[in-house]
Amino acid sequence: MPENLIAQNLIRLRAELPDGVSLIAVSKTHTADKIRLAYAAGQRDFAENRLQEALSKQAELADLTDIRWHFIGHLQKNKAKKAIANFDWIHTIDSLALAQKLNHYAENLEKTAKFCLQIKPLPDPQKSGWEIPEFLDQMTQLADCRYLKVQGLMTILPLGLTPPETKQAFLDVKALQQQLNKAGHFPFTLSELSMGMSGDYPLAVKAGSTMIRLGRSIFGARQ
Ligand SMILES: *Cc1c(COP(=O)(O)O)cnc(C)c1O
């Protein structure tokens, strides 16, 4: 994609988004140079889904000290320590065991990432995360991870939903967020909803998303 298109896409997307929705540029598979172009156009939040790829881009971009790095991939437990120290946000806590491991590291760190818990409003064998009933079963143990700054819920919907199904699934995640906040289950208010990708973000925004994660609509197709 020609470089000025990245800037044009960012300008167009920002104009489209209501206040209170932050735009996270998903830079996975794209080079550090492309990230620099987006940065030059004012973008500060970038997301990666593989730890090694992210760490090498972070090293190349170490001069851009105000980038906020988001981790959005499945995080293996043996990489939890590295991830918590090198990201501002981890959107993808997807099991109680991972939460407990991250909590253990967070206890001894002065600065740690902020977190979202990954929810599957519909069954999806391709994805990790909790279906809502099993999440509710484990919630007390999750809330006991009190060193984790849990800020909200995240979701990736299964492929092939109709627009009404998509909207309903996003609303189900929003309803869960409201239920949790009303009951005061977590030590922090869950103010964030990380939902919406290039194919479905307009519906996510309508359903109350606060963070959308866009790759293709900013950087074009991935190789
Ligand atoms: C790749 C990815 C995105 C971005 O997807 P696009 O369709 O390119 O916008 C968003 N969220 C997650 C978790 C991803 O892995």
Side-chain angles (χ1 to χ4, degrees):
M1 169 173 294
E3 56 183 72
N4 58 346
L5 269 185
I6 293 176
Q8 282 172 26
N9 288 336
L10 286 167
I11 291 165
R12 178 179 46 78
L13 287 162
R14 271 188 221 119
E16 231 180 89
L17 295 178
D19 288 349
V21 180
S22 53
L23 172 57
I24 302 174
V26 178
S27 47
K28 66 187 187 197
T29 78
H30 297 293
T31 60
D33 285 343
K34 290 243 182 96
I35 296 177
R36 280 189 194 277
L37 292 171
Y39 182 94
Q43 182 65 28
R44 292 295 179 270
D45 290 275
F46 292 91
E48 293 281 337
N49 69 339
R50 289 167 187 263
L51 190 66
Q52 280 315 318
E53 180 183 339
L55 294 177
S56 73
K57 287 180 199 172
Q58 289 177 354
E60 280 183 79
L61 298 167
D63 56 312
L64 307 181
T65 53
D66 59 347
I67 286 186
R68 289 177 292 270
W69 290 102
H70 299 251
F71 190 79
I72 58 170
H74 171 64
L75 183 59
Q76 288 164 304
K77 286 195 290 296
N78 61 357
K79 296 184 178 163
K81 191 176 183 182
K82 256 202 171 132
I84 201 173
N86 287 287
F87 286 85
D88 298 285
W89 283 83
I90 295 174
H91 291 234
T92 42
I93 295 186
D94 57 11
S95 71
L96 180 58
L98 177 61
Q100 289 171 337
K101 192 112 202 180
L102 288 164
N103 186 56
H104 167 72
Y105 293 125
E107 181 175 356
N108 299 307
L109 287 173
E110 222 157 82
K111 179 187 171 286
T112 85
K114 296 174 179 173
F115 298 93
C116 294
L117 304 170
Q118 185 172 350
I119 302 295
K120 295 195 290 190
L122 294 165
D124 185 354
Q126 311 290 329
K127 296 274 156 27
S128 46
W130 288 272
E131 290 181 28
I132 292 173
E134 43 167 349
F135 178 82
L136 294 173
D137 282 346
Q138 297 192 344
M139 200 173 50
T140 314
Q141 289 153 287
L142 280 167
D144 280 344
C145 296
R146 61 201 175 93
Y147 298 104
L148 287 185
K149 291 187 242 169
V150 178
Q151 308 286 302
L153 305 178
M154 179 270 198
T155 195
I156 310 170
L157 298 186
L159 296 172
L161 301 181
T162 64
E165 288 165 344
T166 301
K167 187 172 171 211
Q168 188 56 51
F170 286 138
L171 288 172
D172 288 347
V173 179
K174 168 90 186 170
L176 177 63
Q177 175 205 29
Q178 288 173 325
Q179 178 189 340
L180 297 173
N181 282 337
K182 204 166 161 200
H185 282 303
F186 283 88
F188 299 90
T189 303
L190 307 184
S191 51
E192 303 291 341
L193 285 174
S194 169
M195 17 187 239
M197 309 177 22
S198 295
D200 58 16
Y201 74 89
L203 288 169
V205 168
K206 278 199 188 124
S209 172
T210 63
M211 301 172 119
I212 58 172
R213 313 176 306 267
L214 303 188
R216 288 169 297 144
S217 45
I218 296 171
F219 294 108
R222 284 182 286 276
Q223 300 306 314

